[in-house]
């Protein structure tokens, strides 16, 4: 008879503690996760800070955390962390116990191996009693974002067609006429436009005179990146590493342009995650704020075309871009693209082509 009472009491204890854990194990359990910084450059090492707090009297014999991250966020070796990787995502599992009114803070070191926008979405919490009789779980939403900027490279590694390009741009900065500032009049020279004639000075001197305009310190450079790797229009990019290299070229050139006190703009026929299927055009601006804006824009770019580059350039021409240094980064130049380049040059623009070499770039990015 005693054995039956013993079994009954044991069963009752197990049932009660199971009910208690089902009811209260996840109550007063707080969890947070965040990046140590909201932005970084490709290749940087940052931290993910994780905090778990058990703010109640009931101990937790075991707590299982499950979450998912992009494979571009490479976690360094750490105990009590099981990682299973797929092609694009990796699943994480951690299990530990929490005593009453205790808090655990974990720091995960990660290397950001690719440019992009990464979010902390959800985490699954599962816990139960020590005997495994009952368990309960819930999914918590997270609010965290990391923007990984393209990594700048040394300026002399950008394959500009002429090593004197930088000097030429600096010179052109100081030889543009300022249409709003007139410094007297001068004698007409061949090539002067008729709308620049100063009729009062002409009548006074008896010789054809034109407005003598001061030089402007404002000069604009617009970097265009062609997301098409060949003339066939494809929505999917066959070699994303080539586009990533192009963006590294672009941000390197932009950094140099800003350092020279000039205005920088950016355009490409990809699209941003904030505006799907819309080509990107950032108006030229000066100062480090402009460079920060380009970093944010490039971090959110999706490696896919919004439209063919020939149509994209036709749209640029319709917007009447003039008197601008255009740096075109492209893996090819078709006959139609060449016609668009000539049209841009005819309207006072200077077009410099930076050629991409996909086969060579694959090994460069891997290293």
């Amino acid at each position: 008879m005693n054995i039956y009472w013993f079994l009954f009491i044991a069963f009752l204890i197990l049932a009660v503690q199971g009910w208690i854990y089902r009811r209260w194990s996840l109550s007063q359990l707080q969890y947070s996760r965040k990046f140590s910084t909201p932005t970084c450059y490709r290749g940087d090492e940052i931290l993910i800070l994780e905090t778990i707090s058990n703010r109640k009297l009931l101990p937790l014999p075991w707590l299982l955390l499950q979450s998912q991250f992009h494979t571009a966020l490479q976690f360094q070796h750490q105990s009590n962390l099981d990682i299973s990787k797929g092609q694009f995502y990796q699943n994480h599992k951690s299990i530990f116990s929490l005593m009453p009114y205790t808090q655990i803070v974990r720091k995960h070191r990660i290397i950001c191996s690719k440019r992009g926008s990464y979010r902390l979405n959800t985490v699954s919490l599962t816990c139960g009693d020590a005997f495994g009789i009952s368990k309960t779980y819930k999914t918590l939403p997270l609010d965290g974002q990391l923007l990984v900027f393209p990594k700048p490279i040394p300026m002399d590694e950008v394959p500009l067609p002429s090593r004197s390009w930088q000097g030429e741009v600096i010179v052109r900065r100081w030889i543009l006429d300022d249409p709003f500032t007139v410094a007297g009049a001068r004698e007409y020279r061949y090539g002067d436009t008729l709308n620049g004639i100063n009729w009062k000075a002409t009548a006074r001197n008896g010789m054809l005179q034109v407005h003598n305009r001061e030089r402007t310190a404002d000069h604009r450079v617009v970097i265009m990146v062609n997301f098409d790797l060949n003339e066939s229009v494809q929505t999917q990019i066959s070699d994303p590493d080539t586009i990533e290299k192009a963006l590294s070229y672009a941000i390197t050139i932009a950094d140099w342009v800003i350092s020279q006190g000039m205005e920088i703009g950016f355009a490409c026929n990809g699209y941003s995650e904030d505006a799907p299927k819309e080509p990107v055009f950032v108006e030229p601006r000066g100062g480090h704020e402009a460079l920060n804006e380009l970093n944010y824009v490039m971090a959110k770019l999706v490696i896919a075309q919004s439209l063919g580059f020939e149509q994209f350039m036709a749209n640029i021409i319709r917007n009447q871009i003039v008197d601008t240094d255009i740096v075109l980064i492209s893996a090819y130049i078709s006959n139609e693209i060449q016609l668009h380049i000539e049209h841009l040059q005819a309207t006072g623009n200077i077009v410099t082509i930076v050629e991409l070499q996909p086969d060579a770039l694959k090994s460069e990015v891997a290293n």
Side-chain angles (χ1 to χ4, degrees):
M1 190 67 176
N2 292 336
I3 188 65
Y4 292 112
W5 275 108
F6 174 78
L7 292 175
F8 174 75
I9 293 173
F11 174 78
L12 184 62
I13 292 174
L14 291 176
V16 170
Q17 66 91 37
W19 177 81
I20 291 174
Y21 274 95
R22 281 195 303 272
R23 175 86 178 185
W24 285 294
S25 60
L26 290 177
S27 68
Q28 299 299 310
L29 182 63
Q30 298 179 358
Y31 179 86
S32 68
R33 176 187 289 163
K34 63 181 181 179
F35 294 108
S36 60
T37 177
T39 62
C40 68
Y41 290 94
R42 178 176 62 84
D44 286 353
E45 181 179 294
I46 67 168
L47 296 175
I48 290 182
L49 307 175
E50 190 177 42
T51 304
I52 312 103
S53 302
N54 182 22
R55 299 184 177 276
K56 60 181 179 295
L57 187 60
L58 183 68
L60 298 179
W62 61 272
L63 174 65
L64 175 65
L65 297 181
Q66 299 181 85
S67 53
Q68 191 178 72
F69 296 89
H70 198 282
T71 52
L73 303 179
Q74 299 178 351
F75 282 70
Q76 304 306 291
H77 177 72
Q78 185 172 338
S79 60
N80 192 24
L81 181 61
D82 180 32
I83 301 177
S84 57
K85 291 185 179 181
Q87 182 178 1
F88 299 108
Y89 293 95
Q90 52 188 320
N91 295 313
H92 289 204
K93 291 182 181 180
S94 299
I95 187 168
F96 42 84
S97 59
L98 277 173
M99 296 302 290
Y101 301 104
T102 58
Q103 175 176 284
I104 295 176
V105 178
R106 301 200 301 176
K107 297 180 181 180
H108 305 278
R109 292 187 301 110
I110 63 172
I111 294 177
C112 305
S113 63
K114 291 186 178 180
R115 175 206 59 84
S117 173
Y118 303 97
R119 294 184 180 274
L120 300 175
N121 294 317
T122 61
V123 61
S124 295
L125 307 177
T126 305
C127 62
D129 64 282
F131 303 98
I133 295 175
S134 66
K135 63 180 179 180
T136 183
Y137 68 91
K138 68 177 178 180
T139 300
L140 298 178
L142 301 174
D143 184 20
Q145 183 181 30
L146 173 68
L147 294 180
V148 181
F149 301 153
K151 185 177 182 179
I153 60 176
M155 188 64 182
D156 58 7
E157 293 183 15
V158 178
L160 291 163
S162 171
R163 290 301 172 188
S164 61
W165 177 84
Q166 293 165 265
E168 293 169 358
V169 170
I170 293 174
V171 170
R172 285 196 293 271
R173 173 190 177 187
W174 296 103
I175 63 174
L176 293 177
D177 285 339
D178 187 340
F180 302 105
T181 305
V182 177
R186 61 172 174 79
E187 188 176 342
Y188 175 85
R189 294 194 295 261
Y190 176 77
D192 289 334
T193 59
L194 294 179
N195 61 5
I197 295 177
N198 187 327
W199 295 108
K200 290 184 179 180
T202 298
R204 187 168 54 250
N205 291 283
M207 299 177 61
L208 198 58
Q209 303 282 304
V210 296
H211 295 296
N212 186 25
R213 303 189 185 277
E214 289 187 349
R215 303 305 183 183
T216 177
D218 293 330
H219 186 65
R220 300 182 301 172
V221 177
V222 172
I223 303 169
M224 294 186 187
V225 177
N226 182 5
F227 274 40
D228 300 343
L229 297 180
N230 49 57
E231 295 188 47
S232 62
V233 179
Q234 301 174 347
T235 56
Q236 297 297 321
I237 305 295
S238 59
D239 185 4
D241 288 343
T242 299
I243 304 301
E244 295 294 346
K245 192 67 173 179
L247 296 177
S248 286
Y249 290 163
I251 202 62
T252 300
I253 296 171
D255 190 14
W256 179 83
V257 169
I258 290 296
S259 71
Q260 300 302 313
M262 293 179 280
E263 295 183 347
I264 188 66
F266 176 75
C268 72
N269 61 326
Y271 60 89
S272 171
E273 65 175 28
D274 293 337
K277 303 303 179 182
E278 293 185 13
V280 176
F281 186 83
V282 180
E283 290 285 348
R285 292 198 305 131
H288 288 287
E289 290 182 0
L291 185 63
N292 289 336
E293 181 183 7
L294 291 190
N295 271 317
Y296 276 84
V297 168
M298 292 185 192
K300 293 185 176 184
L301 285 177
V302 178
I303 303 299
Q305 295 102 327
S306 56
L307 76 168
F309 195 69
E310 286 83 357
Q311 182 60 48
F312 174 75
M313 289 196 72
N315 294 345
I316 293 291
I317 291 172
R318 277 197 294 270
N319 290 333
Q320 298 181 344
I321 182 172
V322 296
D323 296 329
T324 300
D325 257 290
I326 297 173
V327 179
L328 173 56
I329 305 175
S330 179
Y332 74 99
I333 301 295
S334 66
N335 292 333
E336 188 173 351
I337 291 177
Q338 183 60 42
L339 290 175
H340 289 320
I341 291 174
E342 292 171 2
H343 190 285
L344 289 169
Q345 291 171 331
T347 53
N349 300 289
I350 305 296
V351 181
T352 302
I353 300 173
V354 175
E355 183 180 359
L356 289 174
Q357 299 176 352
D359 292 337
L361 292 176
K362 288 182 180 179
S363 59
E364 288 182 26
V365 174
N367 293 332

